[in-house]
């Protein structure tokens, strides 16, 4: 990909910004950071690969040089956690003394060895020929222990679900998770049964990156976040097989780093500020799910999740939109804070795309946090979205720099404690 770094501009930037008290966000820093994150060397930052760890280490080193603090008790900025991959190995089931054929059994388990017999902690449930098997499966897939005896007329749907269950599945926890066994059988009653399942469980650490500016109020936290992972390297996309994810979401990650630089140079804030780069947004949202378990959501007064700000919005440059605008008064507070500037914040113009649910903010919103995504991307017409062509050369870095500055301005009254957004009603979030 094209290298947009310019040595002369970089040197000038260093001269201009060294020694100043407040580090105004500028296009030189923005260009350097996004060019590193979206470089071919980062190979598309796919979660579960060493490339994502390279990106995490880069973000951690930026946080270090900015002078951010670590989370209490942490020795570095890397918030790593295990994720488990469970692959079912063998499923053996007998009903009323007869062994069921292997192609008529399927299981998803959260343990490497499972044995059930009649009288144990599972009662068989029957799914008749006219029942909605998909709905029954969906409502039981997170339950502790389920044994479904499925009528043979349901074979097509059974095969569809079984195909899914036979693939490796990811899980944030093993032991105490859910176990589900499905059997295609014409048995009308079950006097005796035995179920034996073995599975292989592998564990892999993945990592968010978290930096902190402690405020005067330790228990009131403002979060700036973005996901740093993208789609990685894909065969069949040659000659350019690297999905650089410059807009999605190296742009948001760059914003988080530059906002950290700006606010760190601004003295001690009233409220504490967290800067979070999430992993695995593109493959299950595991990063934000883990982060949400490490915080008290009641202490998070607002979450600015930044997604794809490298291209001007449909309303033009100097505008950005906010997902779930009506779910809290977060957006209105930002609008008021930038009043009198050239910049404007608007409600998400693509309500049909469900973008409120398509990023890490939704995980925190489910816990009541006013958590919204801020974006400028023309997602309905963007030919580079989730393509190998999502490169820095397609972005408008002046627009992006202005957007980062506007987010900083928009956040001022929330960080100062002057304004506190209304909570999102968790029961309204799917
Ligand atoms: Zn994204």
């Amino acid at each position: 990909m094209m290298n947009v770094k310019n040595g002369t501009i970089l040197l000038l930037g260093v001269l201009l910004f060294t020694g100043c008290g407040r580090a105004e966000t500028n296009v030189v820093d923005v260009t350097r950071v996004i060019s590193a994150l979206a470089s071919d060397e980062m190979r598309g930052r796919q979660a579960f690969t060493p490339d994502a760890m390279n990106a995490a280490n880069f973000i951690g080193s930026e946080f270090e040089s900015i002078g951010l603090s670590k989370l209490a008790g942490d020795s570095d900025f890397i918030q790593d956690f295990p994720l488990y991959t469970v692959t079912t190995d063998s499923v053996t089931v007998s009903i009323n003394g007869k062994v069921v054929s292997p192609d008529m059994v399927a299981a998803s388990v959260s343990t490497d060895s499972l044995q059930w017999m009649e009288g144990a902690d599972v009662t068989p449930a029957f799914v008749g020929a006219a029942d909605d098997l998909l709905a029954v499966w969906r409502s039981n897939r997170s339950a502790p222990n389920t044994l479904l005896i499925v009528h043979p007329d349901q074979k097509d749907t059974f095969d569809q679900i079984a195909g899914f269950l036979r693939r490796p599945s990811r899980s944030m926890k093993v032991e105490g998770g859910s176990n589900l066994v499905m059997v295609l059988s014409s048995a009308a009653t079950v006097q005796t049964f035995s179920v034996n399942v073995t599975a292989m469980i592998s564990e892999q650490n993945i990592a968010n990156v978290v930096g902190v500016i402690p405020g005067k109020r330790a228990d009131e936290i403002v979060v700036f976040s973005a996901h740093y992972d993208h789609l990685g390297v894909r065969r069949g996309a040659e000659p350019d097989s690297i999905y650089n994810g410059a807009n999605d979401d190296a742009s948001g990650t760059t914003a988080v780093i530059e906002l950290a630089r700006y606010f760190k140079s601004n003295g001690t804030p009233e409220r504490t500020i967290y800067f979070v780069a999430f992993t695995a947004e593109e493959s299950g949202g595991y990063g934000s799910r883990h982060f949400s378990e490490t915080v008290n959501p009641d202490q998070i007064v607002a979450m600015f999740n930044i997604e794809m700000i490298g291209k001007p919005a449909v309303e033009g440059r100097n505008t950005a939109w906010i997902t779930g605008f009506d779910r809290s008064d977060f957006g209105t507070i930002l609008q008021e804070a930038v009043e009198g500037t050239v910049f404007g914040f608007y409600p998400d113009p693509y309500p049909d795309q469900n973008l409120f649910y398509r990023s890490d903010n939704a995980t925190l919103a489910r816990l009541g946090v006013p958590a919204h995504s801020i974006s400028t991307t023309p997602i309905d017409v963007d030919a580079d979205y989730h393509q190998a062509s999502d490169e820095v050369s397609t972005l408008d870095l002046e627009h992006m720099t202005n957007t980062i500055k506007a987010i900083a301005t928009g956040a001022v009254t929330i960080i100062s404690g002057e304004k506190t957004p209304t909570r999102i009603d968790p029961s309204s979030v799917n």
Side-chain angles (χ1 to χ4, degrees):
M1 63 174 288
M2 190 171 73
N3 185 353
V4 295
K5 212 185 279 180
N6 182 308
T8 312
I9 295 175
L10 189 66
L11 180 63
L12 189 65
V14 169
L15 292 174
L16 280 173
F17 294 102
T18 301
C20 293
R22 187 184 283 186
E24 294 294 342
T25 301
N26 62 84
V27 76
V28 179
D29 286 337
V30 166
T31 303
R32 178 183 63 81
V33 171
I34 196 168
S35 300
L37 285 168
S39 67
D40 280 358
E41 288 72 38
M42 292 283 184
R43 294 170 47 83
R45 312 180 304 280
Q46 188 178 17
F48 310 100
T49 69
D51 308 318
M53 278 319 295
N54 282 345
N57 288 331
F58 170 80
I59 298 161
S61 70
E62 289 294 311
F63 284 179
E64 183 79 53
S65 76
I66 290 166
L68 294 188
S69 302
K70 290 146 190 134
L71 283 175
D74 281 5
S75 58
D76 59 26
F77 297 104
I78 305 292
Q79 181 184 62
D80 61 339
F81 58 97
L83 207 69
Y84 303 94
T85 302
V86 183
T87 311
T88 303
D89 202 21
S90 70
V91 186
T92 312
V93 179
S94 298
I95 302 279
N96 298 333
K98 279 170 65 179
V99 177
V100 182
S101 161
D103 60 328
M104 299 210 275
V105 296
S108 66
V109 295
S110 59
T111 171
D112 57 4
S113 173
L114 181 96
Q115 286 107 29
W116 289 340
M117 287 182 75
E118 68 279 0
D121 47 359
V122 60
T123 307
F126 289 86
V127 182
D131 293 337
D132 185 345
L133 175 56
L134 268 178
V136 173
W137 169 60
R138 280 201 196 100
S139 65
N140 282 290
R141 60 192 294 191
S142 301
N145 292 325
T146 307
L147 174 58
L148 297 180
I149 311 294
V150 180
H151 193 278
D153 282 3
Q154 300 265 18
K155 186 171 185 335
D156 287 352
T157 313
F158 179 94
D159 286 346
Q160 198 185 324
I161 300 170
F164 180 77
L165 297 186
R166 285 172 190 138
R167 290 203 291 268
S169 68
R170 289 205 173 108
S171 167
M172 291 188 71
K173 61 174 184 179
V174 288
E175 306 306 329
S178 66
N179 300 298
L180 180 143
V181 178
M182 291 197 323
V183 186
L184 202 62
S185 166
S186 56
T189 59
V190 174
Q191 274 86 41
T192 62
F193 67 85
S194 75
V195 172
N196 281 281
V197 183
T198 60
M200 291 187 309
I201 299 180
S202 64
E203 181 183 334
Q204 192 180 0
N205 270 15
I206 57 173
N208 298 322
V209 192
V210 187
V212 180
I213 301 177
K216 292 172 190 153
R217 306 182 197 175
D219 55 357
E220 295 182 24
I221 299 160
V222 178
V223 175
F224 293 99
S225 65
H227 70 91
Y228 71 88
D229 70 302
H230 192 60
L231 304 174
V233 181
R234 297 196 166 183
R235 282 183 208 284
E238 289 80 5
D240 183 4
S241 58
I242 300 175
Y243 285 61
N244 303 79
N247 200 18
D248 186 10
D249 191 18
S251 68
T253 307
T254 301
V256 168
I257 292 169
E258 294 312 316
L259 288 163
R261 197 185 317 280
Y262 172 73
F263 284 115
K264 179 64 187 171
S265 73
N266 242 348
T268 304
E270 186 66 29
R271 284 178 162 145
T272 295
I273 315 176
Y274 280 13
F275 301 90
V276 188
F278 290 124
T279 188
E281 189 270 353
E282 304 279 13
S283 46
Y286 297 110
S288 50
R289 282 162 62 183
H290 174 74
F291 173 77
S292 74
E293 290 171 4
T294 68
V295 292
N296 175 356
D298 297 340
Q299 293 184 344
I300 301 183
V301 297
M303 176 181 183
F304 295 70
N305 188 57
I306 306 164
E307 269 272 14
M308 297 188 280
I309 56 166
K311 292 182 177 181
V314 279
E315 294 91 347
R317 287 178 120 200
N318 295 321
T319 71
W321 41 266
I322 297 172
T323 65
F325 196 94
D326 296 332
R327 290 171 177 268
S328 79
D329 64 359
F330 171 94
T332 311
I333 292 172
L334 267 66
Q335 285 179 328
E336 287 167 5
V338 299
E339 231 168 65
T341 74
V342 295
F343 207 94
F345 288 105
Y346 299 87
D348 168 14
Y350 313 105
D352 294 348
Q353 296 232 17
N354 276 321
L355 296 168
F356 180 76
Y357 288 105
R358 282 169 55 187
S359 190
D360 292 306
N361 63 289
T363 302
L364 277 293
R366 284 188 189 96
L367 302 171
V369 177
H372 300 261
S373 288
I374 299 172
S375 180
T376 70
T377 207
I379 195 162
D380 54 337
V381 293
D382 184 2
D384 304 311
Y385 176 68
H386 279 201
Q387 301 299 322
S389 60
D390 180 4
E391 306 219 20
V392 173
S393 57
T394 68
L395 304 185
D396 179 342
L397 298 182
E398 287 283 355
H399 155 78
M400 185 176 144
T401 304
N402 290 341
T403 303
I404 297 169
K405 287 181 177 173
I407 292 170
T409 305
V412 162
T413 56
I414 296 176
I415 290 173
S416 69
E418 202 179 314
K419 291 281 169 70
T420 301
T422 50
R423 308 294 290 177
I424 285 182
D425 174 6
S427 71
S428 73
V429 186
N430 299 339

